[in-house]
mmCIF file of all heavy atoms in Angstrom:
data_model
loop_
_atom_site.group_PDB
_atom_site.id
_atom_site.type_symbol
_atom_site.label_atom_id
_atom_site.label_comp_id
_atom_site.label_asym_id
_atom_site.label_seq_id
_atom_site.Cartn_x
_atom_site.Cartn_y
_atom_site.Cartn_z
ATOM 1 N N ALA O 45 47.222 -195.412 -20.057
ATOM 2 C CA ALA O 45 48.622 -194.957 -20.034
ATOM 3 C C ALA O 45 48.721 -193.487 -20.425
ATOM 4 O O ALA O 45 49.552 -192.738 -19.885
ATOM 5 C CB ALA O 45 49.465 -195.817 -20.971
ATOM 6 N N VAL O 46 47.874 -193.072 -21.349
ATOM 7 C CA VAL O 46 47.887 -191.673 -21.791
ATOM 8 C C VAL O 46 47.404 -190.771 -20.648
ATOM 9 O O VAL O 46 47.987 -189.714 -20.384
ATOM 10 C CB VAL O 46 47.017 -191.521 -23.058
ATOM 11 C CG1 VAL O 46 46.736 -190.064 -23.365
ATOM 12 C CG2 VAL O 46 47.704 -192.183 -24.241
ATOM 13 N N GLU O 47 46.360 -191.211 -19.953
ATOM 14 C CA GLU O 47 45.889 -190.437 -18.790
ATOM 15 C C GLU O 47 47.009 -190.342 -17.750
ATOM 16 O O GLU O 47 47.225 -189.290 -17.156
ATOM 17 C CB GLU O 47 44.641 -191.084 -18.176
ATOM 18 C CG GLU O 47 43.416 -190.948 -19.070
ATOM 19 C CD GLU O 47 42.101 -191.199 -18.325
ATOM 20 O OE1 GLU O 47 42.152 -191.775 -17.203
ATOM 21 O OE2 GLU O 47 41.043 -190.813 -18.860
ATOM 22 N N GLN O 48 47.709 -191.452 -17.550
ATOM 23 C CA GLN O 48 48.794 -191.475 -16.572
ATOM 24 C C GLN O 48 49.913 -190.501 -16.977
ATOM 25 O O GLN O 48 50.462 -189.786 -16.141
ATOM 26 C CB GLN O 48 49.330 -192.915 -16.425
ATOM 27 C CG GLN O 48 50.394 -193.106 -15.365
ATOM 28 C CD GLN O 48 49.957 -192.611 -13.974
ATOM 29 O OE1 GLN O 48 48.771 -192.637 -13.639
ATOM 30 N NE2 GLN O 48 50.908 -192.125 -13.197
ATOM 31 N N ALA O 49 50.228 -190.474 -18.265
ATOM 32 C CA ALA O 49 51.275 -189.556 -18.763
ATOM 33 C C ALA O 49 50.890 -188.108 -18.470
ATOM 34 O O ALA O 49 51.740 -187.288 -18.099
ATOM 35 C CB ALA O 49 51.505 -189.771 -20.258
ATOM 36 N N VAL O 50 49.612 -187.792 -18.616
ATOM 37 C CA VAL O 50 49.159 -186.427 -18.301
ATOM 38 C C VAL O 50 49.333 -186.160 -16.808
ATOM 39 O O VAL O 50 49.861 -185.120 -16.401
ATOM 40 C CB VAL O 50 47.680 -186.234 -18.713
ATOM 41 C CG1 VAL O 50 47.136 -184.901 -18.185
ATOM 42 C CG2 VAL O 50 47.523 -186.299 -20.228
ATOM 43 N N ARG O 51 48.911 -187.118 -15.981
ATOM 44 C CA ARG O 51 49.008 -186.938 -14.517
ATOM 45 C C ARG O 51 50.448 -186.707 -14.074
ATOM 46 O O ARG O 51 50.706 -185.931 -13.158
ATOM 47 C CB ARG O 51 48.480 -188.170 -13.788
ATOM 48 C CG ARG O 51 46.984 -188.301 -13.838
ATOM 49 C CD ARG O 51 46.497 -189.483 -12.992
ATOM 50 N NE ARG O 51 45.203 -189.952 -13.461
ATOM 51 C CZ ARG O 51 44.057 -189.312 -13.278
ATOM 52 N NH1 ARG O 51 44.044 -188.184 -12.603
ATOM 53 N NH2 ARG O 51 42.936 -189.787 -13.779
ATOM 54 N N GLU O 52 51.385 -187.404 -14.719
ATOM 55 C CA GLU O 52 52.787 -187.287 -14.299
ATOM 56 C C GLU O 52 53.334 -185.868 -14.488
ATOM 57 O O GLU O 52 54.327 -185.501 -13.882
ATOM 58 C CB GLU O 52 53.652 -188.323 -15.024
ATOM 59 C CG GLU O 52 53.534 -189.687 -14.342
ATOM 60 C CD GLU O 52 54.031 -190.848 -15.183
ATOM 61 O OE1 GLU O 52 54.739 -190.606 -16.191
ATOM 62 O OE2 GLU O 52 53.701 -192.004 -14.835
ATOM 63 N N THR O 53 52.680 -185.077 -15.327
ATOM 64 C CA THR O 53 53.127 -183.690 -15.509
ATOM 65 C C THR O 53 52.489 -182.757 -14.484
ATOM 66 O O THR O 53 52.804 -181.570 -14.448
ATOM 67 C CB THR O 53 52.749 -183.167 -16.912
ATOM 68 O OG1 THR O 53 51.313 -183.089 -16.986
ATOM 69 C CG2 THR O 53 53.267 -184.068 -18.014
ATOM 70 N N GLY O 54 51.538 -183.281 -13.720
ATOM 71 C CA GLY O 54 50.822 -182.438 -12.763
ATOM 72 C C GLY O 54 49.495 -181.920 -13.301
ATOM 73 O O GLY O 54 48.764 -181.222 -12.596
ATOM 74 N N ALA O 55 49.173 -182.272 -14.545
ATOM 75 C CA ALA O 55 47.887 -181.855 -15.118
ATOM 76 C C ALA O 55 46.847 -182.957 -14.909
ATOM 77 O O ALA O 55 47.175 -184.071 -14.497
ATOM 78 C CB ALA O 55 48.050 -181.548 -16.609
ATOM 79 N N VAL O 56 45.604 -182.636 -15.200
ATOM 80 C CA VAL O 56 44.494 -183.575 -15.025
ATOM 81 C C VAL O 56 43.971 -183.989 -16.403
ATOM 82 O O VAL O 56 43.698 -183.130 -17.248
ATOM 83 C CB VAL O 56 43.365 -182.911 -14.194
ATOM 84 C CG1 VAL O 56 42.113 -183.775 -14.160
ATOM 85 C CG2 VAL O 56 43.860 -182.626 -12.785
ATOM 86 N N PRO O 57 43.849 -185.309 -16.662
ATOM 87 C CA PRO O 57 43.330 -185.747 -17.953
ATOM 88 C C PRO O 57 41.806 -185.661 -18.015
ATOM 89 O O PRO O 57 41.131 -185.926 -17.015
ATOM 90 C CB PRO O 57 43.777 -187.219 -18.027
ATOM 91 C CG PRO O 57 43.886 -187.665 -16.599
ATOM 92 C CD PRO O 57 44.243 -186.445 -15.792
ATOM 93 N N ALA O 58 41.290 -185.299 -19.174
ATOM 94 C CA ALA O 58 39.841 -185.257 -19.391
ATOM 95 C C ALA O 58 39.542 -185.984 -20.698
ATOM 96 O O ALA O 58 39.540 -185.379 -21.775
ATOM 97 C CB ALA O 58 39.352 -183.816 -19.442
ATOM 98 N N THR O 59 39.335 -187.293 -20.591
ATOM 99 C CA THR O 59 38.960 -188.055 -21.791
ATOM 100 C C THR O 59 37.511 -187.739 -22.107
ATOM 101 O O THR O 59 36.658 -187.703 -21.221
ATOM 102 C CB THR O 59 39.173 -189.564 -21.545
ATOM 103 O OG1 THR O 59 40.551 -189.780 -21.219
ATOM 104 C CG2 THR O 59 38.809 -190.373 -22.786
ATOM 105 N N ILE O 60 37.246 -187.478 -23.387
ATOM 106 C CA ILE O 60 35.930 -186.990 -23.806
ATOM 107 C C ILE O 60 35.243 -188.019 -24.702
ATOM 108 O O ILE O 60 35.860 -188.583 -25.607
ATOM 109 C CB ILE O 60 36.090 -185.620 -24.514
ATOM 110 C CG1 ILE O 60 36.540 -184.578 -23.474
ATOM 111 C CG2 ILE O 60 34.796 -185.217 -25.224
ATOM 112 C CD1 ILE O 60 36.757 -183.180 -24.009
ATOM 113 N N ALA O 61 33.975 -188.299 -24.404
ATOM 114 C CA ALA O 61 33.174 -189.221 -25.214
ATOM 115 C C ALA O 61 31.711 -188.889 -24.973
ATOM 116 O O ALA O 61 31.385 -188.116 -24.068
ATOM 117 C CB ALA O 61 33.453 -190.673 -24.812
ATOM 118 N N VAL O 62 30.818 -189.475 -25.772
ATOM 119 C CA VAL O 62 29.386 -189.310 -25.529
ATOM 120 C C VAL O 62 28.859 -190.608 -24.943
ATOM 121 O O VAL O 62 28.965 -191.667 -25.564
ATOM 122 C CB VAL O 62 28.633 -188.943 -26.825
ATOM 123 C CG1 VAL O 62 27.142 -188.768 -26.546
ATOM 124 C CG2 VAL O 62 29.219 -187.664 -27.423
ATOM 125 N N LEU O 63 28.341 -190.539 -23.711
ATOM 126 C CA LEU O 63 27.815 -191.723 -23.031
ATOM 127 C C LEU O 63 26.334 -191.498 -22.784
ATOM 128 O O LEU O 63 25.960 -190.519 -22.127
ATOM 129 C CB LEU O 63 28.549 -191.961 -21.706
ATOM 130 C CG LEU O 63 30.079 -192.105 -21.801
ATOM 131 C CD1 LEU O 63 30.684 -192.301 -20.406
ATOM 132 C CD2 LEU O 63 30.469 -193.255 -22.716
ATOM 133 N N ASP O 64 25.513 -192.375 -23.343
ATOM 134 C CA ASP O 64 24.052 -192.239 -23.216
ATOM 135 C C ASP O 64 23.598 -190.812 -23.522
ATOM 136 O O ASP O 64 22.770 -190.245 -22.810
ATOM 137 C CB ASP O 64 23.598 -192.659 -21.815
ATOM 138 C CG ASP O 64 24.038 -194.090 -21.512
ATOM 139 O OD1 ASP O 64 24.024 -194.924 -22.441
ATOM 140 O OD2 ASP O 64 24.434 -194.356 -20.353
ATOM 141 N N GLY O 65 24.161 -190.255 -24.565
ATOM 142 C CA GLY O 65 23.740 -188.941 -25.027
ATOM 143 C C GLY O 65 24.311 -187.764 -24.250
ATOM 144 O O GLY O 65 24.050 -186.618 -24.596
#
Side-chain angles (χ1 to χ4, degrees):
V46 167
E47 290 197 344
Q48 184 55 30
V50 171
R51 287 185 204 287
E52 279 164 15
T53 66
V56 172
T59 301
I60 292 179
V62 180
L63 304 179
D64 303 324

